[in-house]
Amino acid sequence: MTFRVLLLAGATPLAFLSSSAFAETAASAPALAETDGPQSQESSVGTGANDSGTIVVTARRRAETAQDVPLAISVVGGDQIDSTGSFNVGRLQQLTPTLQFYSSNPRNTAVNIRGLGVPFGLTNDGIEQGVGIYIDDVYNSRVASATFDFLDVKQIEVLRGPQGTLYGKNTTAGAINITTNQPTFDFEARAEASVGNLNFVQAKAAVSGPISNTLAARFAVSSTNRRGTIYNVTSQQWIQSQDNLGLRGQLLFQPSDVFSITLAGDYSEQDAVCCGSVFVRTGLTQRALNRQFAALAAAQGYAPASTKPFDRVTDLDAALQAGNKIGGASIKVKWDLGQGTLTSVTAWRFWDWLPQNDRDFTGLPIVTRSQNPSQQDQYTQELRYNYSGDRFDFVVGAFGFYQRIDTQGTESHGSASTRWNLAPTNALYNSNVLDGLTARNTQFLKNTSLALYGQASWKVTPELTLQPGVRLNYDKKDGFYQRRVFTGAGTEILLDGTTSATKTAQLAIFTPQEIAPKFSDWNFSYDFTASYKVADGVLAYATYAKSFKSGGINQNGVPTDAQNNPLLGTATVKPESVNHYELGIKTELRSIGAIFNLSAFRTDINDYQANVNNGQFGVLRGYLANAEAVRSQGFEADFSIRPSDRFNAYTNAAYTDATYRKFVDAPCPPELAGGTVATGTQVPGAAGTPGALSPANCDISGQRLPGVSKWSFSFGFEANAPVSFLKQDGQIYFGYDGSYRSGFSSNPTPSIYTNVDGYALSNFRAGFRTDDGFDIYGWVRNAFDANYFEQLFVGPGNTGLIAGLPGDPRTWGFTLRKAF
């Protein structure tokens, strides 16, 4: 069997599959596999390669080789996911440089592509995701699903650029499409176990086979446990642990070769001691010096457990919890009508979120309780028809989506809150006026989306292909938010016109509020791609897409005026308007198994949906607003080579320049905030003068979007040699995967205090495998024990406190797997 490496312009040249073929492909839309029927053991394991080793994709609803498809998508096979330890989206980003993943807890998770997707910061349920996550054609509306372990995955496809004219939910930045292994009419099974330092234990198993001549079943299970990486001296616990369980079952009914029904159900849960932070530093703000962190801490005799963040020690005193459950069921019906295929996908999914957090980032009882548990149900229905002809192909479809989210929030202050939040000159400074102050939030969201879409492909000549696509979308959101405030004695604080010093102090922390924001709108979008085969093995393409992201509503409350009335004009945010351009060339030198691809892109967004912070302790820590204009542009270059079955290597580079082109009323960074507000006043210098007037907002036009590294790289190789070991013929192998990301901003408004330095990670593995599916290897990740931050956080109240989430230290272990 001959194996070839296939890469794409604008995609990550992912390393290699540990037991079969390299999996890297290209496409213009998610390769929502149209091959879900019965599969032999050979075809269902590994990469999606056909018998010649060529990678085949079905992104345009027909089988095509990767290098013949315009636009960019990379496909990572299940074996490579396992061998590189990329068992969730967070680790997958080390293989795909244009993918950004940031998570302070499952709910507050951002998955972006090319710097675009969702606003960086606290999650607001009132907006859509810019990067769609799909599992077997089923859209997952909440990005919390990205924090779970992959379960029995056949392949994962990472798209770049707007999607929506071929399927499902419209997304403006890209999509992650996950395809699981399907039931088979030939018996197959696999099992895997891993152990490592930090008490790491991971086990996976899957079994598939026939129940009758027309009915097949598949069941898979995955479990991951690991001790935390940060020690909490207050609770005497390791936090940031892993405790994940996943189950998935499928039934395939296929009475004929042209008709099939697949019923699938899954359930996953996380019960980790999570999620916390460590002290990183303090920085000068505009507050008076006696109201900044050093003086506030000294006044209460407090010092952090450690001022060295990579001691990985914290003293958070509030309870921590990240209870996370997700699951659902789906029915997929496929009917081959000759030249076309009719597909229906009906699905229900749920998400239950039960958190507890420490929102003051210290060991003081300032915020003693912070939680916003929520329950979500979503229902989706997709119906599509795809036709394939000699020179003309098309896909038409309809998609319906309904979501209901209910949230019940509680935030309480403790005995240290009064002296932390009131000035020493305040007569209430030594009282307990803020002790027990509690905000109770009730909110719900009803979200409806309906769409018609279609895309055609016309082969004008054997070399030239034109591909237009259109989408008509309707979105409606109905929300409700209520915050009630209670004193420590349980008395409700009302906005009834009465005033007192005590009430003024309490309302400065929490203000009662009730709003019922609504949004609805129609939108029409389209795209056009032209591709031309310049020569054998050389494909050039160009794409323009006019896309959108639905308007949103603020589900976490809105700012208030001087009389504590909600500013209702901020209750909704306008839709994003997206113009996307891309050029690329894909080349393949088959004689030596080499690929070199290059793409350039530019995405312009008007009315970009940004997350802004107001520095309060209360539940209104962040809200949504529109930035006038944002731009992301750059290039991606990839090279790989596989001169023989014994060696392959790859490298790729991505340059992403993502900036606010116009955002004149953004919240100011901490170094320019905290003083007495004076509208329009500009504070000179990086830190200004403590106690000076602060601007009401700042013009950050031209500054970088948060969470985006300008440069990112991935690179690696694998070498193997045939050997006989324990009377088994096989291969010994050694692999390396490295990645580098340059520095990025970790605050919605760039700050000199929240710039995360660039870092490089190196992962190694070495082992022995046989052709019959036995594999044993050792691995080490972050081999050189690099110290790096995944995120930095600005403490509430502009005190100058900066907390952070360190990345994983060096980990190592061993894995044994066997396929039957």
Side-chain angles (χ1 to χ4, degrees):
M1 182 179 291
T2 301
F3 295 105
R4 293 191 289 132
V5 181
L6 297 180
L7 296 176
L8 65 150
T12 306
L14 304 176
F16 37 81
L17 291 160
S18 62
S19 61
S20 50
F22 185 89
E24 177 67 25
T25 67
S28 59
L32 303 180
E34 296 292 336
T35 57
D36 292 336
Q39 303 170 0
S40 68
Q41 180 174 349
E42 178 181 0
S43 66
S44 67
V45 176
T47 70
N50 64 13
D51 289 341
S52 68
T54 301
I55 305 302
V56 175
V57 296
T58 55
R60 296 189 293 181
R61 314 311 184 205
R62 61 187 184 275
E64 301 173 286
T65 60
Q67 292 293 99
D68 290 335
V69 182
L71 302 185
I73 177 176
S74 58
V75 179
V76 191
D79 284 349
Q80 186 180 353
I81 292 168
D82 293 335
S83 64
T84 59
S86 303
F87 58 82
N88 57 32
V89 174
R91 293 196 172 192
L92 185 66
Q93 71 169 339
Q94 294 183 27
L95 297 177
T96 54
T98 51
L99 175 68
Q100 295 95 33
F101 175 89
Y102 304 101
S103 179
S104 58
N105 63 41
R107 185 176 187 270
N108 293 320
T109 297
V111 178
N112 289 346
I113 291 176
R114 293 173 172 171
L116 305 174
V118 293
F120 189 91
L122 296 175
T123 297
N124 194 311
D125 293 330
I127 63 167
E128 307 294 334
Q129 308 298 311
V131 176
I133 298 176
Y134 296 82
I135 302 176
D136 288 341
D137 282 15
V138 177
Y139 175 68
N140 285 246
S141 61
R142 291 297 106 189
V143 77
S145 59
T147 67
F148 284 96
D149 293 355
F150 299 141
L151 180 60
D152 197 24
V153 168
K154 178 182 179 181
Q155 63 185 31
I156 296 177
E157 299 138 7
V158 180
L159 289 78
R160 290 118 172 108
Q163 307 298 321
T165 63
L166 263 178
Y167 74 106
K169 199 78 167 66
N170 184 69
T171 55
T172 55
I176 299 172
N177 187 59
I178 301 171
T179 302
T180 69
N181 290 305
Q182 298 298 299
T184 61
F185 284 98
D186 294 325
F187 175 80
E188 67 176 47
R190 64 185 69 190
E192 176 184 312
S194 300
V195 295
N197 66 331
L198 305 181
N199 301 327
F200 176 76
V201 178
Q202 185 176 73
K204 302 178 183 179
V207 61
S208 181
I211 297 176
S212 69
N213 290 335
T214 59
L215 189 65
R218 186 179 192 93
F219 181 77
V221 60
S222 174
S223 175
T224 302
N225 286 271
R226 193 193 71 180
R227 192 205 76 190
T229 56
I230 299 173
Y231 188 70
N232 189 339
V233 298
T234 300
S235 64
Q236 297 184 343
Q237 287 180 301
W238 288 95
I239 65 173
Q240 312 302 107
S241 63
Q242 295 176 355
D243 186 358
N244 304 339
L245 174 67
L247 305 170
R248 184 175 183 83
Q250 299 177 83
L251 284 175
L252 169 65
F253 174 62
Q254 185 163 11
S256 69
D257 292 339
V258 299
F259 184 80
S260 67
I261 300 175
T262 303
L263 173 65
D266 67 281
Y267 173 82
S268 297
E269 69 176 25
Q270 296 174 329
D271 191 19
V273 182
C274 187
C275 298
S277 60
V278 299
F279 176 93
V280 175
R281 62 168 297 179
T282 60
L284 199 63
T285 75
Q286 300 303 309
R287 299 188 90 184
L289 289 177
N290 67 351
R291 307 303 299 140
Q292 299 199 38
F293 183 83
L296 291 169
Q300 303 205 42
Y302 171 74
S306 174
T307 57
K308 297 179 179 179
F310 294 107
D311 286 347
R312 300 179 186 273
V313 173
T314 191
D315 60 355
L316 302 178
D317 61 320
L320 299 178
Q321 179 177 303
N324 201 15
K325 297 179 181 179
I326 199 166
S330 65
I331 299 176
K332 184 174 184 178
V333 180
K334 294 184 60 181
W335 189 8
D336 187 348
L337 302 176
Q339 286 187 303
T341 301
L342 183 67
T343 303
S344 171
V345 183
T346 307
W348 161 74
R349 297 203 63 75
F350 74 89
W351 173 43
D352 290 340
W353 169 235
L354 185 60
Q356 294 190 78
N357 304 290
D358 191 324
R359 287 300 182 193
D360 59 51
F361 304 137
T362 74
L364 283 170
I366 304 169
V367 179
T368 56
R369 191 179 189 189
S370 179
Q371 58 186 41
N372 280 280
S374 63
Q375 307 82 41
Q376 172 192 305
D377 285 280
Q378 71 163 66
Y379 303 86
T380 56
Q381 173 63 58
E382 184 170 8
L383 185 67
R384 64 173 180 264
Y385 175 77
N386 65 288
Y387 168 86
S388 295
D390 293 335
R391 296 184 60 184
F392 186 74
D393 309 290
F394 69 84
V395 176
V396 293
F399 178 75
F401 168 84
Y402 176 78
Q403 173 190 44
R404 167 83 187 222
I405 301 179
D406 290 279
T407 302
Q408 312 82 37
T410 303
E411 186 152 356
S412 299
H413 279 228
S415 58
S417 178
T418 303
R419 297 182 69 189
W420 191 270
N421 287 289
L422 301 185
T425 55
N426 192 308
L428 298 172
Y429 179 74
N430 290 310
S431 71
N432 61 355
V433 65
L434 301 182
D435 190 8
L437 185 69
T438 299
R440 297 174 185 168
N441 312 318
T442 300
Q443 55 182 291
F444 69 77
L445 170 70
K446 298 176 182 178
N447 185 3
T448 302
S449 181
L450 303 172
L452 298 174
Y453 61 84
Q455 189 179 96
S457 180
W458 176 31
K459 186 175 289 186
V460 181
T461 70
E463 295 78 24
L464 176 64
T465 299
L466 303 180
Q467 182 178 294
V470 295
R471 182 184 184 93
L472 178 65
N473 219 87
Y474 173 75
D475 290 283
K476 180 181 180 182
K477 296 180 175 68
D478 293 298
F480 174 78
Y481 174 84
Q482 180 192 69
R483 179 170 59 207
R484 300 174 66 189
V485 182
F486 299 85
T487 68
T491 302
E492 185 170 5
I493 301 175
L494 302 175
L495 296 178
D496 55 7
T498 63
T499 61
S500 68
T502 295
K503 188 173 183 178
T504 299
Q506 293 167 337
L507 290 177
I509 302 298
F510 296 130
T511 304
Q513 186 175 121
E514 182 174 316
I515 59 173
K518 297 179 183 294
F519 173 86
S520 63
D521 196 17
W522 289 87
N523 198 283
F524 178 74
S525 57
Y526 52 91
D527 56 42
F528 184 81
T529 297
S531 60
Y532 190 81
K533 292 185 178 180
V534 179
D536 184 32
V538 181
L539 178 71
Y541 64 88
T543 296
Y544 169 72
K546 175 65 175 178
S547 187
F548 76 101
K549 183 197 285 189
S550 167
I553 60 177
N554 269 304
Q555 277 295 103
N556 296 342
V558 297
T560 57
D561 61 20
Q563 288 73 43
N564 291 317
N565 298 310
L567 298 174
L568 297 180
T570 64
T572 61
V573 288
K574 293 181 286 188
E576 292 182 355
S577 177
V578 180
N579 288 282
H580 175 77
Y581 314 85
E582 187 155 351
L583 296 172
I585 187 167
K586 304 165 63 172
T587 64
E588 179 183 8
L589 189 58
R590 299 185 180 93
S591 60
I592 60 172
I595 298 291
F596 178 73
N597 298 325
L598 183 66
S599 69
F601 65 89
R602 173 168 173 157
T603 304
D604 293 303
I605 302 179
N606 292 327
D607 294 321
Y608 176 78
Q609 295 169 0
N611 199 6
V612 300
N613 296 321
N614 65 354
Q616 290 183 357
F617 262 114
V619 287
L620 186 55
R621 295 183 303 273
Y623 61 96
L624 297 171
N626 289 108
E628 291 90 332
V630 158
R631 182 196 66 200
S632 176
Q633 62 183 9
F635 66 84
E636 297 152 342
D638 312 296
F639 173 77
S640 72
I641 188 168
R642 190 179 192 120
S644 74
D645 291 344
R646 301 298 172 208
F647 179 80
N648 65 67
Y650 70 95
T651 184
N652 76 338
Y655 173 79
T656 307
D657 176 25
T659 58
Y660 297 104
R661 302 313 300 159
K662 186 178 182 183
F663 196 5
V664 299
D665 56 353
C668 292
E671 59 266 32
L672 296 181
T676 303
V677 173
T679 302
T681 303
Q682 296 298 313
V683 180
T689 303
L693 297 179
S694 296
N697 45 56
C698 287
D699 183 351
I700 61 172
S701 303
Q703 298 197 43
R704 295 166 57 190
L705 290 180
V708 187
S709 299
K710 278 196 173 183
W711 289 99
S712 54
F713 301 87
S714 65
F715 37 84
F717 69 89
E718 182 180 293
N720 66 74
V723 298
S724 180
F725 179 67
L726 297 177
K727 298 182 180 181
Q728 295 287 321
D729 292 333
Q731 301 172 351
I732 58 170
Y733 61 92
F734 177 79
Y736 167 76
D737 295 286
S739 63
Y740 170 78
R741 291 180 181 268
S742 62
F744 61 88
S745 168
S746 188
N747 193 55
T749 298
S751 166
I752 59 174
Y753 302 139
T754 58
N755 288 324
V756 175
D757 293 336
Y759 58 89
L761 301 176
S762 292
N763 305 326
F764 296 91
R765 63 187 181 277
F768 170 76
R769 62 182 173 231
T770 64
D771 291 338
D772 64 358
F774 175 82
D775 192 359
I776 183 171
Y777 62 97
W779 45 265
V780 57
R781 296 170 188 136
N782 189 9
F784 302 113
D785 203 19
N787 288 328
Y788 66 100
F789 290 108
E790 293 185 354
Q791 286 183 261
L792 295 176
F793 313 106
V794 176
N798 292 308
T799 67
L801 171 64
I802 305 297
L805 178 60
D808 280 355
R810 176 170 51 228
T811 58
W812 53 265
F814 301 90
T815 296
L816 172 65
R817 72 165 63 107
K818 182 69 172 73
F820 303 93

